[in-house]
Amino acid sequence: MANQTSVDLIPREILLGNPVKTSAQISPDGKRMAYLAPVNNVLNVWVGTVGNEDYRPVTKDESRGIRFYLWAKDNKHILYIQDIGGNENWRLYATNLATQETRDLTPFEDVQAQIIDIDKHFPDELLIGLNKEDPKVHDVYHLALNTGELSLVAKNPGNIAAWVTDTHLKVRAATKATPEGGRELLVRADEQADWQTLLTWGPDDALTSGPLGFTQDGQSLYVEDARNANASRLVKLNIASGEITVIAEDPQYDVGDVMIHPDTYEVQAVAFNKDRVEWTVLDESIKPDFDRIRAIHPGDFSITSRDENDNTWIITFTTDNGPIPFYVYNRKGQTTRFLFDNKPELNKYTLANMKPFDFTARDGLTIHGYLTLPVSEQQTNLPMVLNVHGGPWVRDTWGYDPEAQWFTNRGYACLQVNFRGSTGYGKEFLNAGDREWGRNMHNDLIDAVDWAVQQGIADPKRIAVYGGSYGGYAALVGATFTPDLFCCAVDIVGPSNLITLIKTIPPYWSTFLATFHRRVGNPDTQEEFLKSRSPLFKVDQIKIPMLIAQGANDPRVKQSEAEQIVEAMKSKGIAYEYMLFPDEGHGFAKPENRLKFYAAAEKFLATHLGGRYEEG
């Protein structure tokens, strides 16, 4: 192995800038393909003929770049959502591929559009959610794609958190938020019938349970269900009898991706995200396909797009030490063709391997995570970045991680921890994080750092804490609650005061508020408790340099969350760097903003951890 100094410095632009191409999707008729690629450094949708080199940009976004798009089922339009400056008031746009004209289908101020369902059997229609009547909740509208006409099909009474359609594009199920943080599953016979409660999930089960969709005959629902089990199981629930049939389960890991046949609506395969993704194939007809796909490329695969005839699949692979390759797979011939790597320049460089690890926390809980070490002879006594995931009700996964590669290429070990409260590991592990922000969730991070020090991996004097959103909060907690453990901290859009965080959540999170109260705390009744878990009130304990970055339009973690702790540090003479991006929200979408932040963070870390830095 090489010394770190002989490993080429990978430019930030390659690691952290736009992909060259990504998000390939086959058209419903299988004749064309779309993907995202930059136009003047802004991601747009490109469309061309499968097998040809005639791809051209069809959208004209000039600001934030398109991140989510899909083919309309009529083969004539590309649909995408976009907000302004990170405000998350998403609008739905349709680009006509023949005329190149783009229409704003939801031209409403301060309204958030959601795509509820799109179905190949109804090519000119889709169902969308809009919170234009009440900012707190989304009603369902039928949208005629050709005319743009909207008609209300399901009115939200004020407590519906999610809507579910049947195979005829009718809204026939919903999840209702309960005052204590649980969920009720509602169904109705048709759009004129009254809602009936089919089952109830208590607060302990609600975050890991929910409906996925109807069977073809509309008589049953596919449901992720954590009742009477530790981890969520995939079950088939008969609406009339209430009978439950377990389709797939694992005692420790929640259900991950579910692959459902686009015509029969039968479950074909189920993924469980363990240390790596593991698929359980249930449909014998696709077993040869899965066997063939596994042989194409190393890594964990996903089937990201299928045409109407289910003959052409777009396949992606994630590996830990290279770019994401995209392939087109023909099922009839069982032939594959390489399309592109999302970041082909990465193939010129030596990337690090991400290794799963686990350890026992101080109270006996098993904690899992991932460790990525620099490509060098030195694998011990390294400077280390504790990179804390956001959420917190998500998890880190194995595979190419641009930040992990960035840290290791600069000479740091990267430690990523799925602390208690992370999802995917069953409800006992998830619920162990309730009301543990700033305490046992943080203790898991501390115990992980101690583990890395005891293993000889990390130099205890050169450890940084870094993260965004909840990870930003964890960085602030690290600087205030455990100021002697870290030598510097980087907070990206992290809350500093849990009271103001919860009191200023976006209105459309209203159906999730009871969950916040249960799992974090209620500012109306537990103010002192939440103060005790808020970094803002322990600013006096900060001893280390801080870098704080914030988007001015962030609807989730308001600008004031950064401003108030910056002001407190300023008044107490504590050293800090503060970056405010006026045209960003909860994270940095624009490449120039993203790279400006990463350049500052890299210099900051190099100053305090002693790693490498790319000038410019």
Side-chain angles (χ1 to χ4, degrees):
M1 293 183 75
N3 289 317
Q4 183 66 26
T5 51
S6 67
V7 174
D8 287 342
L9 197 74
I10 307 174
R12 284 188 299 271
E13 176 75 47
I14 292 174
L15 280 170
L16 303 159
N18 278 332
V20 174
K21 297 176 185 175
T22 192
S23 302
Q25 293 184 30
I26 195 76
S27 62
D29 61 12
K31 295 177 181 176
R32 288 184 289 181
M33 192 179 74
Y35 55 73
L36 293 177
V39 177
N40 297 323
N41 208 31
V42 178
L43 285 178
N44 273 279
V45 182
W46 296 55
V47 173
T49 313
V50 173
N52 288 350
E53 297 301 318
D54 58 353
Y55 288 84
R56 298 287 182 271
V58 297
T59 59
K60 299 179 179 67
D61 192 288
E62 296 178 350
S63 179
R64 300 181 62 69
I66 294 169
R67 284 151 286 163
F68 174 83
Y69 81 95
L70 70 166
W71 280 92
K73 299 302 182 181
D74 63 1
N75 290 292
K76 299 174 184 174
H77 294 87
I78 290 289
L79 304 172
Y80 68 92
I81 60 170
Q82 186 60 282
D83 67 347
I84 297 171
N87 64 8
E88 297 186 16
N89 288 325
W90 304 104
R91 291 189 180 187
L92 176 63
Y93 296 88
T95 297
N96 184 308
L97 295 178
T99 66
Q100 305 278 296
E101 175 200 7
T102 295
R103 289 178 292 153
D104 182 352
L105 299 174
T106 57
F108 312 113
E109 290 296 321
D110 301 322
V111 171
Q112 185 189 72
Q114 302 173 343
I115 295 176
I116 303 291
D117 199 11
I118 182 169
D119 190 306
K120 72 178 192 178
H121 302 101
F122 305 90
D124 184 43
E125 306 170 57
L126 61 157
L127 296 181
I128 64 171
L130 295 172
N131 61 338
K132 70 189 186 80
E133 302 303 322
D134 180 350
K136 293 189 176 68
V137 290
H138 290 74
D139 303 313
V140 184
Y141 292 81
H142 175 276
L143 172 64
L145 194 51
N146 282 338
T147 64
E149 183 182 353
L150 284 169
S151 51
L152 181 71
V153 295
K155 181 71 180 165
N156 197 319
N159 52 13
I160 300 298
W163 302 96
V164 186
T165 59
D166 66 10
T167 57
H168 299 286
L169 206 64
K170 303 298 183 186
V171 179
R172 282 196 47 225
T175 53
K176 170 183 164 184
T178 65
E180 68 278 5
R183 290 285 187 269
E184 289 180 11
L185 178 58
L186 309 180
V187 293
R188 60 184 179 181
D190 55 55
E191 289 187 318
Q192 282 69 51
D194 291 333
W195 291 103
Q196 308 292 327
T197 300
L198 191 58
L199 61 83
T200 301
W201 290 290
D204 284 348
D205 296 329
L207 260 186
T208 49
S209 300
L212 294 179
F214 282 85
T215 54
Q216 188 176 34
D217 61 9
Q219 302 303 305
S220 298
L221 275 164
Y222 296 121
V223 175
E224 291 180 16
D225 188 11
R227 295 172 307 156
N228 307 314
N230 172 45
S232 69
R233 308 178 295 177
L234 180 64
V235 304
K236 185 177 179 180
L237 171 62
N238 184 283
I239 294 168
S241 69
E243 180 188 355
I244 280 181
T245 306
V246 177
I247 299 172
E249 64 180 327
D250 185 275
Q252 182 181 350
Y253 295 92
D254 297 317
V255 168
D257 286 341
V258 178
M259 183 175 171
I260 294 176
H261 193 281
D263 285 316
T264 67
Y265 296 90
E266 291 291 327
V267 175
Q268 295 184 283
V270 180
F272 293 93
N273 297 335
K274 302 185 180 183
D275 285 343
R276 301 266 302 268
V277 175
E278 296 182 16
W279 283 97
T280 299
V281 179
L282 303 170
D283 179 351
E284 289 292 328
S285 73
I286 66 168
K287 276 192 173 173
D289 299 310
F290 271 53
D291 291 341
R292 177 76 185 91
I293 289 165
R294 285 190 182 99
I296 295 171
H297 194 280
D300 295 348
F301 70 87
S302 299
I303 298 154
T304 57
S305 181
R306 304 160 81 169
D307 66 0
E308 278 179 354
N309 296 325
D310 202 29
N311 182 52
T312 307
W313 291 359
I314 304 292
I315 314 291
T316 64
F317 290 84
T318 180
T319 63
D320 56 344
N321 62 350
I324 296 171
F326 288 75
Y327 289 83
V328 62
Y329 173 69
N330 180 285
R331 293 187 65 215
K332 280 180 186 163
Q334 288 203 1
T335 58
T336 58
R337 186 164 56 84
F338 173 73
L339 292 171
F340 54 77
D341 285 326
N342 72 328
K343 293 189 171 186
E345 289 290 307
L346 288 173
N347 289 312
K348 299 178 182 176
Y349 297 92
T350 303
L351 301 184
N353 292 115
M354 176 184 278
K355 294 176 181 172
F357 73 93
D358 62 74
F359 66 94
T360 303
R362 63 188 70 180
D363 62 354
L365 203 61
T366 300
I367 309 293
H368 296 264
Y370 298 93
L371 176 68
T372 312
L373 297 178
V375 180
S376 71
E377 289 169 1
Q378 184 183 343
Q379 301 278 287
T380 58
N381 203 39
L382 293 161
M384 186 174 78
V385 178
L386 172 67
N387 188 2
V388 187
H389 71 66
W393 304 297
V394 293
R395 58 161 286 184
D396 282 319
T397 55
W398 181 88
Y400 175 76
D401 183 310
E403 288 189 341
Q405 295 297 336
W406 172 53
F407 291 137
T408 55
N409 185 257
R410 276 29 176 187
Y412 315 126
C414 177
L415 190 70
Q416 295 171 278
V417 185
N418 286 324
F419 47 86
R420 72 191 67 203
S422 301
T423 50
Y425 295 93
K427 69 185 181 191
E428 289 172 15
F429 189 82
L430 171 69
N431 297 337
D434 285 1
R435 293 167 52 81
E436 295 295 348
W437 287 43
R439 192 172 66 172
N440 281 331
M441 288 163 75
H442 187 64
N443 288 342
D444 290 345
L445 299 174
I446 304 309
D447 292 350
V449 169
D450 289 344
W451 171 86
V453 170
Q454 289 161 13
Q455 298 290 312
I457 296 160
D459 176 354
K461 294 186 175 61
R462 293 185 296 162
I463 298 171
V465 56
Y466 172 107
S469 196
Y470 177 86
Y473 164 80
L476 294 175
V477 168
T480 51
F481 287 48
T482 51
D484 297 317
L485 187 65
F486 301 105
C487 68
C488 63
V490 180
D491 152 37
I492 310 154
V493 298
S496 63
N497 180 348
L498 297 183
I499 298 165
T500 50
L501 169 74
I502 297 168
K503 284 192 168 182
T504 61
I505 61 166
Y508 45 83
W509 282 15
S510 65
T511 56
F512 200 64
L513 184 58
T515 300
F516 261 106
H517 289 168
R518 177 184 175 82
R519 296 187 181 271
V520 187
N522 187 333
D524 295 328
T525 58
Q526 299 168 315
E527 185 175 351
E528 288 307 312
F529 168 74
L530 288 171
K531 265 189 176 180
S532 75
R533 301 294 176 83
S534 297
L536 180 62
F537 303 103
K538 291 185 169 58
V539 171
D540 286 348
Q541 299 188 52
I542 296 176
K543 302 175 181 178
I544 59 175
M546 304 276 294
L547 171 60
I548 293 175
Q550 177 69 37
N553 305 314
D554 191 338
R556 309 184 200 186
V557 178
K558 301 291 192 294
Q559 180 181 334
S560 56
E561 291 298 318
E563 303 278 344
Q564 56 194 353
I565 197 159
V566 164
E567 186 55 41
M569 287 190 290
K570 187 176 175 182
S571 68
K572 295 177 189 304
I574 298 167
Y576 67 89
E577 293 179 41
Y578 179 44
M579 303 179 75
L580 178 67
F581 293 93
D583 53 352
E584 293 287 4
H586 197 64
F588 311 137
K590 286 188 170 185
E592 59 269 31
N593 290 337
R594 206 161 59 238
L595 290 170
K596 182 180 178 183
F597 162 73
Y598 280 123
E602 184 171 302
K603 196 165 194 175
F604 178 83
L605 292 171
T607 301
H608 303 294
L609 290 183
R612 303 195 295 174
Y613 173 69
E614 178 194 5
E615 293 294 338

